[in-house]
């Protein structure tokens, strides 16, 4: 066969080459995309259709998200800038330009956040009798109470530090509340110290309810107001010229060389106490803080003007979340719901016989997480069960899952727990969890060196008449009962012999560190998952305009997958991407991504399920997974994707996890080619039903019917 290029028909024009897919302008910056997600969360705080206390909650979530962003993402960029590193992502922005862009975008978000608080939320809360009383409006009885409270509960825990050669600037902890006090006068030793620092003890509540006998039923004061009112008691004989809040955010990454340590648990335990004192990355101050004090703080923390955030209100809005639990106003919250329980899960003692008949699919939080807990608890109590193998990424030492594993080990069963110690910000919990399990004889493994074990798997080995039979649970979320009530996730309970055999091979691989197993049904990163996703896209490319791809993920930033999706769009494949957070792909670019649509759903529950759909010529392939389409998930973590088989289960997942979300015009935002997002709801006041509402209604009917 000749390798010569086919000749063109007489007079035919050659087809123009397709645009290059490596151009930086085709990719949106990951960190800026993360910040765009927080704009969408903030929009819920400004939405009059959302219950008032839930609006306050969304406002505080933005603060918590931004804290973590600076502790991790911005901190990493500042480190790279410090060492002169070049561009890392396909957008080729580079640390210097990216840090400047982050500062500009974040300042805009925070300004909008405080406008929302001061101009809309606080007046609305006051209209409902929920008030945060400033010092200037305290009645005489309230002032007397504040002095007594300060003297008894606050003053003994405060340590005023005037700054001089004998009293250097104190070690200010990450995200701690601090006060810069401007002083005038001489102390008992004739010294002049123009500035002092007072740190608010972390043990003290930041918001305190005023006794109802001297105030309204829901009147509160800030701890900062109490300290400000009585700060003179800390500096007798001196004049207080100024009192200004400030807060420092620090680099919170833990640096442990896993190749060089003998025991990862001990190494992390040694590193954790240093986390609160990493390099400063952000300074927040009260907006009334004078320039000379601001400059002094910036110099001390070695920060620039772009790292400064002057705030017209409390410096840590996340603390306002305490009000939600203290006021007890269910009328200002989302209506309560009871997660439904499938009929086949109402008898935990029959779970194994049920799974031999058919798998069980659960859609959390609309369906209860209890069947998953019952699965492990029943395994712990069943005398026929010989062993349990479980991954634990995020959990707590007092989790029902941990209780069940402990019970199983005490009863003599072989229990293996893969505890991912390096789950960010859960390291301390996971260390306690691992130690508790080890004390009762559980075989604890700390994951894989340099690869986080992010897969969600539980495997039960049970002796039956025909021999040892295995039962498994696979999920897109963590074994954390509280998260299962606020995160959307999928769970599959199954006795499929090929899937459970794959699970057992994976556990053997994690603990024994042999060659990667050749799996029958499951996909595993870092070995087969990435190639399988690319292969699925390639099959749809070959089908051209008859191709179909839908993906629901939390983040899409891997350049290899994005390039493959661009090529699919160029081939005419219709592609819908439901991406909650960061998305580096730019949709709607002519000749590149005009067949790609990207939407983000932000609502009552945190969207967390990962589902991959490939049309496959009318015989769809549907996968649920623990992995997003990010380099860290595909190459630096151990992840698992599991098939959704059978017409009924597949149709259910496609409808509930994909179709409902593509039809959502209430909580949906569509991504534009410039990386900005547009709400599909014409106005915040427009009535609508979201995918989450439809699922709540569906499973509420199931509950009432049962």
């Amino acid at each position: 066969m000749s390798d010569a290029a086919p000749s063109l028909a007489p007079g035919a024009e050659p087809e123009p080459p397709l645009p290059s897919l490596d151009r930086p302008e085709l990719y949106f910056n990951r960190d800026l995309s993360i910040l765009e997600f927080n704009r969408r969360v903030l929009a819920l705080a400004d939405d009059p259709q959302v219950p008032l206390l839930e609006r306050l909650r969304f406002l505080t979530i933005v603060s918590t998200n931004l804290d973590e962003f600076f502790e991790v993402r911005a901190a990493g960029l500042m480190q790279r800038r410090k060492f002169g590193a070049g561009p890392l992502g396909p957008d080729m922005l580079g640390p210097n330009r990216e840090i400047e862009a982050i500062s500009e975008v974040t300042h805009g978000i925070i300004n909008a956040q405080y406008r929302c608080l001061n101009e809309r939320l606080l007046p609305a809360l006051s209209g409902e009798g929920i008030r945060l009383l400033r010092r200037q409006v305290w009645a005489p009885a309230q002032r007397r109470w504040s002095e007594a409270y300060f003297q008894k509960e606050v003053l003994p825990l405060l340590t005023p530090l005037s700054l001089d050669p004998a009293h250097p600037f104190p070690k200010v902890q990450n995200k701690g509340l601090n006060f810069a006090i401007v002083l005038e006068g001489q102390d008992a030793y004739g010294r002049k110290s123009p500035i002092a620092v007072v740190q608010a003890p972390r043990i003290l509540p930041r918001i305190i309810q005023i006794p109802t006998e001297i105030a309204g039923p829901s009147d509160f004061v800030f701890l900062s107001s109490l300290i400000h009112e009585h700060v003179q008691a800390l500096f007798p004989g001196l004049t207080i010229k100024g009192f200004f809040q400030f807060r420092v955010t620090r680099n919170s990454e833990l640096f442990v060389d896993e190749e060089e340590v003998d025991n990862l648990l001990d190494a992390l335990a040694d590193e954790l106490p240093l986390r609160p004192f990493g390099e400063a990355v952000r300074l927040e101050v009260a907006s009334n803080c004078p320039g000379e004090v601001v400059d002094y703080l910036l110099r001390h923390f070695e920060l620039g003007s772009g790292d400064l955030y002057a705030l017209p209100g409390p410096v840590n809005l996340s603390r306002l979340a305490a009000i939600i639990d203290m006021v007890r106003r269910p009328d200002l919250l989302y209506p309560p719901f009871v997660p439904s329980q499938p009929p086949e899960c109402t008898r935990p003692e029959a779970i194994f016989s049920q799974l031999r008949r058919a798998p069980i699919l659960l859609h959390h939080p609309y369906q209860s997480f209890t069947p998953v807990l019952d699965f492990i608890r029943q395994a712990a109590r069943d005398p026929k069960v010989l062993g349990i193998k479980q991954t634990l990424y995020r959990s707590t030492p007092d989790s029902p899952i941990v209780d069940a594993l402990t019970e199983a080990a005490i009863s003599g069963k072989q229990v293996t727990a893969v505890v991912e110690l390096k789950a960010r910000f859960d390291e301390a919990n996971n260390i306690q969890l691992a130690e508790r399990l080890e004390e009762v004889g559980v075989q604890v493994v700390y994951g894989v060196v340099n690869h986080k074990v992010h897969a969600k798997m539980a495997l039960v080995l049970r002796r039956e008449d025909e021999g040892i039979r295995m039962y498994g649970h696979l999920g897109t979320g963590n074994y954390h009962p509280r998260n299962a009530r606020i995160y959307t996730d999928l769970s599959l309970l199954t006795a499929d012999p090929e899937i459970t055999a794959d699970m057992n091979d994976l556990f053997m691989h994690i603990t024994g560190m042999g060659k990667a197993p050749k799996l029958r049904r499951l996909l595993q990163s870092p070995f087969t998952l990435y190639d399988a996703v690319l292969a699925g896209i390639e099959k749809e490319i070959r089908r051209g305009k008859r191709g179909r791809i839908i993906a629901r993920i939390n983040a899409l930033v891997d350049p290899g997958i994005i390039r493959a999706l661009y090529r699919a769009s160029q081939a005419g494949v219709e592609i819908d991407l439901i991406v909650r957070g960061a998305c580096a792909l730019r949709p709607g670019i002519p000749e590149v991504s005009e067949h790609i649509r990207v939407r983000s759903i932000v609502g009552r529950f945190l969207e967390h399920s990962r589902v991959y759909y490939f049309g496959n010529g009318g015989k769809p392939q549907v996968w649920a997974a623990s992995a997003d389409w990010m380099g860290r998930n595909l190459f630096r973590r151990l992840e698992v994707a599991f098939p959704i088989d059978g017409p009924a289960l597949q149709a259910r997942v496609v409808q509930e996890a994909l179709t409902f979300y593509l039809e959502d015009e209430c909580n949906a935002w569509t991504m534009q080619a410039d990386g900005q997002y547009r709400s599909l709801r014409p106005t915040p006041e427009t009535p609508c039903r979201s995918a989450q509402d439809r699922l709540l209604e569906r499973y509420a009917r199931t509950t009432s019917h049962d």
Side-chain angles (χ1 to χ4, degrees):
M1 182 181 292
S2 171
D3 291 333
S7 59
L8 294 169
E13 292 289 333
E15 292 230 359
L18 292 172
S20 167
L21 301 181
D22 293 322
R23 293 173 292 154
E25 62 267 26
L26 295 182
Y27 300 88
F28 193 62
N29 180 266
R30 171 185 174 180
D31 293 324
L32 297 179
S33 189
I34 292 173
L35 292 176
E36 286 299 324
F37 168 68
N38 284 291
R39 286 193 199 273
R40 301 194 290 280
V41 177
L42 182 58
L44 288 172
D46 246 342
D47 187 344
Q49 298 284 19
V50 174
L52 183 56
L53 287 178
E54 302 290 358
R55 293 172 64 187
L56 181 64
R57 192 193 309 277
F58 285 120
L59 187 88
T60 66
I61 288 171
V62 172
S63 289
T64 303
N65 289 348
L66 290 179
D67 283 351
E68 183 173 339
F69 179 87
F70 277 95
E71 290 175 282
V72 179
R73 300 300 306 170
L77 278 169
M78 293 174 79
Q79 287 257 316
R80 290 179 53 228
R81 179 177 65 179
K82 180 178 178 180
F83 293 112
L88 189 62
D91 59 278
M92 300 298 288
L93 203 56
N96 287 323
R97 291 165 58 204
E98 188 173 343
I99 288 171
E100 290 175 4
I102 284 171
S103 177
E104 179 180 352
V105 172
T106 311
H107 275 89
I109 292 173
I110 290 175
N111 289 339
Q113 187 185 21
Y114 278 85
R115 283 197 303 273
C116 175
L117 174 70
N118 294 324
E119 298 175 12
R120 291 179 285 283
L121 288 187
L122 289 180
L125 288 166
S126 181
E128 293 289 345
I130 303 168
R131 301 186 300 170
L132 282 159
L133 299 183
R134 302 290 184 177
R135 297 181 305 123
Q136 295 83 352
V137 301
W138 291 352
Q142 293 165 352
R143 292 189 183 280
R144 290 192 294 273
W145 164 82
S146 76
E147 182 173 7
Y149 186 95
F150 177 82
Q151 292 290 335
K152 183 179 179 182
E153 302 289 342
V154 181
L155 181 60
L157 296 172
L158 298 180
T159 302
L161 293 168
S162 60
L163 304 184
D164 60 32
H167 303 85
F169 203 103
K171 286 281 188 182
V172 172
Q173 288 196 41
N174 179 40
K175 299 184 296 185
L177 175 63
N178 310 278
F179 309 101
I181 317 296
V182 179
L183 303 171
E184 188 177 82
Q186 294 183 346
D187 67 11
Y189 301 93
R191 301 172 306 173
K192 289 185 178 181
S193 181
I195 193 167
V197 171
V198 175
Q199 300 181 68
R202 287 179 177 263
I203 198 171
L204 293 177
R206 296 299 188 259
I207 293 178
I208 303 147
Q209 185 164 10
I210 304 175
T212 54
E213 57 267 24
I214 59 170
S218 300
D219 282 346
F220 302 90
V221 295
F222 287 106
L223 174 66
S224 56
S225 295
L226 280 175
I227 296 176
H228 192 176
E229 178 70 10
H230 304 289
V231 67
Q232 185 66 65
L234 302 174
F235 302 97
L238 300 177
T239 301
I240 308 296
K241 302 294 290 183
F243 178 97
F244 310 105
Q245 299 178 50
F246 73 93
R247 181 173 179 257
V248 177
T249 311
R250 297 184 179 274
N251 186 335
S252 294
E253 282 283 54
L254 299 178
F255 300 98
V256 175
D257 188 343
E258 297 179 42
E259 301 280 3
E260 297 296 325
V261 300
D262 296 322
N263 186 308
L264 182 59
L265 186 147
D266 291 341
L268 279 172
D270 290 342
E271 188 76 14
L272 276 172
L274 305 178
R275 170 178 272 169
F277 303 106
E279 290 187 354
V281 296
R282 175 179 62 164
L283 174 65
E284 296 169 284
V285 300
S287 57
N288 63 342
C289 190
E292 58 270 21
V293 176
V294 170
D295 291 341
Y296 173 79
L297 293 173
L298 286 173
R299 286 195 304 272
H300 175 76
F301 294 114
E302 299 180 347
L303 294 172
S305 58
D307 308 315
L308 171 70
Y309 293 81
L311 309 176
V315 298
N316 184 0
L317 295 186
S318 62
R319 296 288 191 167
L320 291 173
I323 293 174
I324 299 169
D325 294 324
M326 288 195 285
V327 298
R328 302 188 184 280
R329 287 286 303 273
D331 57 310
L332 301 181
L333 298 169
Y334 284 122
F337 78 101
V338 178
S340 72
Q341 186 104 323
E344 59 268 33
C345 294
T346 54
R347 294 177 58 236
E349 69 279 2
I351 186 67
F352 300 119
S353 59
Q354 172 61 40
L355 292 179
R356 286 195 296 272
R357 289 191 294 272
I360 297 171
L361 181 79
L362 301 170
H363 197 168
H364 312 300
Y366 316 104
Q367 289 181 293
S368 174
F369 192 68
T370 301
V372 179
L373 301 178
D374 287 341
F375 174 68
I376 304 298
R377 284 191 286 233
Q378 188 60 27
R381 296 164 189 166
D382 188 330
K384 292 184 179 181
V385 169
L386 306 177
I388 304 172
K389 301 181 181 183
Q390 173 108 37
T391 62
L392 293 170
Y393 186 74
R394 293 193 192 277
S395 193
T396 56
D398 59 352
S399 162
I401 291 278
V402 178
D403 291 341
L405 296 178
T406 300
E407 180 184 347
I410 291 173
S411 69
K413 301 184 191 305
Q414 182 70 34
V415 181
T416 301
V418 181
V419 179
E420 183 47 72
L421 296 179
K422 305 181 298 301
R424 185 180 290 131
F425 300 119
D426 269 343
E427 297 93 346
N429 269 341
N430 287 351
I431 287 172
Q432 292 179 40
L433 182 155
E435 290 175 335
R436 180 186 170 194
L437 291 172
E438 286 179 326
E439 286 173 358
V440 296
V442 173
Q443 181 67 54
V444 177
V445 178
Y446 307 140
V448 178
V449 172
N450 293 324
H451 287 75
K452 290 184 179 180
V453 177
H454 194 246
K456 314 306 189 299
M457 303 187 297
L459 185 66
V460 171
L461 297 90
R462 189 172 189 264
R463 184 174 295 284
E464 298 181 357
D465 292 342
E466 64 273 21
I468 294 177
R469 182 154 189 166
M470 294 183 288
Y471 301 82
H473 169 264
L474 292 156
T476 66
N478 301 304
Y479 292 104
H480 197 302
R482 181 179 176 275
N483 285 355
R485 290 189 62 86
I486 57 177
Y487 288 16
T488 69
D489 274 304
L490 297 172
S491 279
L492 180 69
L493 291 160
T494 182
D496 182 294
E498 291 190 328
I499 289 178
T500 54
D502 280 354
M503 294 172 68
N504 194 47
D505 287 348
L506 282 174
F507 276 111
M508 299 281 280
H509 169 67
I510 294 169
T511 59
M513 295 310 299
K515 293 286 187 180
K518 187 175 181 179
L519 303 179
R520 306 155 190 82
R521 304 288 304 287
L522 301 182
L523 303 176
Q524 175 202 4
S525 68
F527 301 108
T528 60
L529 180 53
Y530 180 71
D531 289 342
V533 170
L534 291 182
I537 297 173
E538 289 295 333
K539 285 183 181 179
E540 301 308 309
I541 289 174
R542 290 196 290 272
R543 294 185 177 91
K545 293 180 180 180
R546 294 179 293 110
R548 186 74 169 108
I549 298 171
I550 311 173
R552 177 179 169 189
I553 44 185
N554 300 328
L556 169 58
V557 298
D558 178 74
I561 289 181
I562 293 174
R563 281 193 291 270
L565 291 170
Y566 282 159
R567 288 193 296 104
S569 176
Q570 290 174 330
V573 178
E574 293 298 327
I575 303 168
D576 280 290
L577 304 173
I578 306 164
V579 186
R580 184 194 77 207
C583 181
L585 177 148
R586 292 182 183 265
I589 300 174
E591 298 186 309
V592 174
S593 58
E594 55 196 332
H595 293 282
I596 302 178
R597 296 161 294 277
V598 179
R599 61 170 48 203
S600 172
I601 306 293
V602 184
R604 173 176 183 172
F605 305 117
L606 182 75
E607 294 297 337
H608 196 252
S609 306
R610 290 92 163 187
V611 178
Y612 319 151
Y613 173 98
F614 300 102
N616 196 36
K619 298 178 180 179
Q621 290 182 322
V622 182
W623 300 84
S626 60
D628 292 308
W629 287 354
M630 306 173 68
R632 72 181 189 191
N633 297 90
L634 299 166
F635 305 114
R636 299 188 299 278
R637 288 184 174 184
L638 194 149
E639 306 271 14
V640 166
F642 51 96
I644 304 296
D645 291 331
L649 287 189
Q650 195 173 94
R652 185 176 151 210
V653 168
V654 169
Q655 183 184 57
E656 294 184 6
L658 300 177
T659 304
F660 280 3
Y661 284 81
L662 294 177
E663 295 172 348
D664 190 325
E665 293 185 351
C666 184
N667 288 340
W669 297 72
T670 57
M671 186 182 185
Q672 311 303 299
D674 61 358
Q676 302 298 306
Y677 283 78
R678 179 176 61 85
S679 173
L680 286 182
R681 201 177 349 162
T683 67
E685 294 79 14
T686 304
C688 59
R689 279 202 318 156
S690 69
Q692 294 184 359
D693 289 337
R694 292 173 75 177
L695 289 165
L696 282 170
E697 290 174 12
R698 165 171 289 193
Y699 286 105
R701 287 197 300 270
T702 302
T703 302
S704 60
H705 177 74
D706 294 342

